[in-house]
Amino acid sequence: MSFATARGDIKAIQEEILRLKEERNAVILAHNYQLPEVQDVADFVGDSLGLARKAAQTDAEVIVFCGVNFMAETAKILNPDKTVLIPDPGAGCSLADSITVEQLREWKKQHPGAVVVCYINTTADVKTECDYIFTSSNAVKVINAIPEDREILLLPDKYLGMWIRRVTGRENIRIWDGACHVHAGLSYEEMKRLKETYPDAELLVHPECGCSSQCLYNASLMDGNNGIEVKILSTSGMIRYAARSDRQKFIIATEVGILYPLKKKNPHKEFLPANREAVCEYMKMITIEKLRDSLREMKYRIELPDEVMERALLPIKRMLELSS
Ligand code: 13P
Ligand code: SF4
């Protein structure tokens, strides 16, 4: 909630948003890290894969995307004839910014014949140079669809890449040296300390976290009783898992916005953030006031060159087909 906005004002703004949404024939899609009051007016709240799926299915004329730029761009690529709005065009992503299309072209030149597999957290320009896109929900499925003898260039997240290498057992994956500033700081030592403090809690970790690979390695030592129990999951994967687990307490290693939908869907369970400071300032740029203004003034429109949309569509479509 923005500090300047009192609860009554929020209610009034939310009501206006719902009214405007009908008038504009719009759908509101929101990521799990969005502010609670934004999530509460969304038609769908989810992870990157779920949001891309919803964007591909909607028959609304306008999509208002409450998330970061690369997510809104993906919605536009899937709907070139629709109006796609983002309430604040400054909502970037440090991970997506860790590689440019020029850098990727240069990397490809050094490894001719390699299959380029890229995380959805990339710009539309970078996606034009990729063969497959994946998200945290379907990474292993996408990698397993590539013949084992083909070399893979995986970008841009090194922690996610190392985790994929460990899970798939593939040695021929080259990994770009990028990271998300929010997840990189979540260390294995911290997870271990938290598990010792709360032995009954289950540890749920996002694969972008700096600890994901080491947590998984140490989990594999469980039989010898040296490791810690861990589940590596996408943001929506965490919500689904918490609902079906018998445990009552969970340590959550990802951006803290996830605590709101986790608690909403599992009101009787307890969720402890691995780090309260793990806040994505880009996600929080989308305030309830900016969402209202976006619908009022039909701003800010996502515009991409036709050629970029055409070329980026193919790897996104492959991703959706592989995860249907
Ligand atoms: P999810 O697809 O798991 O929601 O992750 C997106 C993201 O940006 C995580 O930082
Ligand atoms: Fe990007 Fe990290 Fe924010 Fe996710 S949490 S949107 S990866 S900067």
Side-chain angles (χ1 to χ4, degrees):
M1 185 192 323
S2 44
F3 292 112
T5 314
R7 198 133 283 288
D9 294 342
I10 290 180
K11 192 114 197 45
I13 296 171
Q14 285 175 323
E15 279 162 13
E16 186 178 349
I17 289 169
L18 296 178
R19 206 170 50 246
L20 285 165
K21 193 183 74 153
E22 294 305 313
E23 275 170 37
R24 306 285 193 209
N25 186 15
V27 66
I28 301 175
L29 304 182
H31 187 264
N32 287 318
Y33 297 160
Q34 287 290 293
L35 293 167
E37 61 271 25
V38 171
Q39 294 195 26
D40 285 344
V41 287
D43 295 284
F44 177 78
V45 181
D47 63 7
S48 304
L49 181 63
L51 290 164
R53 278 207 185 113
K54 286 286 167 193
Q57 289 161 358
T58 184
D59 45 22
E61 284 168 58
V62 177
I63 299 173
V64 189
F65 210 107
C66 299
V68 292
N69 258 313
F70 75 83
M71 296 178 177
E73 284 183 349
T74 304
K76 180 68 184 174
I77 292 162
L78 286 163
N79 295 283
D81 300 327
K82 289 188 178 167
T83 301
V84 177
L85 305 176
I86 186 160
D88 188 329
C93 168
S94 59
L95 180 54
D97 287 342
S98 60
I99 186 163
T100 63
V101 69
E102 290 79 18
Q103 286 173 311
L104 175 54
R105 285 190 191 122
E106 198 45 48
W107 201 30
K108 283 172 76 171
K109 258 191 227 157
Q110 291 161 17
H111 303 282
V115 181
V116 180
V117 184
C118 119
Y119 192 37
I120 195 160
N121 297 40
T122 39
T123 63
D125 272 349
V126 165
K127 287 188 176 78
T128 63
E129 291 288 337
C130 294
D131 297 304
Y132 291 87
I133 309 287
F134 67 93
T135 73
S136 52
S137 290
N138 62 5
V140 174
K141 219 171 179 176
V142 171
I143 296 295
N144 285 340
I146 298 166
E148 271 189 36
D149 59 334
R150 296 290 302 278
E151 185 180 29
I152 293 176
L153 300 184
L154 191 149
L155 62 124
D157 190 311
K158 62 179 166 191
Y159 298 113
L160 180 56
M162 287 190 283
W163 169 72
I164 291 174
R165 198 144 66 181
R166 189 168 287 287
V167 175
T168 61
R170 277 179 81 141
E171 294 296 328
N172 59 352
I173 305 180
R174 290 180 188 273
I175 301 168
W176 187 257
D177 187 16
C180 153
H181 70 296
V182 181
H183 288 90
L186 292 163
S187 71
Y188 175 71
E189 286 64 36
E190 185 61 7
M191 296 311 125
K192 198 160 175 285
R193 198 190 59 73
L194 279 163
K195 263 304 274 183
E196 281 159 10
T197 313
Y198 305 101
D200 297 344
E202 215 164 356
L203 175 58
L204 310 188
V205 172
H206 194 276
E208 283 175 29
C209 289
C211 61
S212 62
S213 192
Q214 215 180 340
C215 275
L216 199 71
Y217 170 69
N218 281 279
S220 70
L221 303 175
M222 281 293 289
D223 288 349
N225 242 355
N226 292 318
I228 59 167
E229 200 183 347
V230 63
K231 294 276 175 305
I232 314 272
L233 296 160
S234 77
T235 56
S236 290
M238 288 182 183
I239 298 169
R240 286 189 293 267
Y241 182 82
R244 64 174 192 268
S245 168
D246 294 337
R247 297 285 180 94
Q248 291 305 307
K249 202 182 272 184
F250 302 84
I251 299 162
I252 304 297
T254 190
E255 207 269 353
V256 293
I258 187 75
L259 298 171
Y260 181 68
L262 272 168
K263 195 70 190 164
K264 199 171 172 182
K265 300 241 168 79
N266 302 280
H268 305 300
K269 298 194 174 184
E270 197 182 341
F271 300 98
L272 311 163
N275 178 357
R276 278 177 205 285
E277 310 286 302
V279 178
C280 175
E281 62 272 40
Y282 301 114
M283 285 281 180
K284 305 313 186 232
M285 288 171 92
I286 312 297
T287 61
I288 197 78
E289 294 90 344
K290 288 183 198 169
L291 170 55
R292 175 204 54 205
D293 294 348
S294 178
L295 274 161
R296 262 188 194 166
E297 297 166 40
M298 293 298 281
K299 66 181 188 185
Y300 295 86
R301 288 170 194 254
I302 301 286
E303 306 283 3
L304 293 165
D306 288 346
E307 197 206 330
V308 168
M309 284 199 278
E310 276 159 32
R311 291 187 56 199
L313 181 61
L314 183 66
I316 294 173
K317 270 195 165 164
R318 281 186 183 142
M319 171 191 82
L320 292 175
E321 279 159 19
L322 275 170
S323 50
S324 58

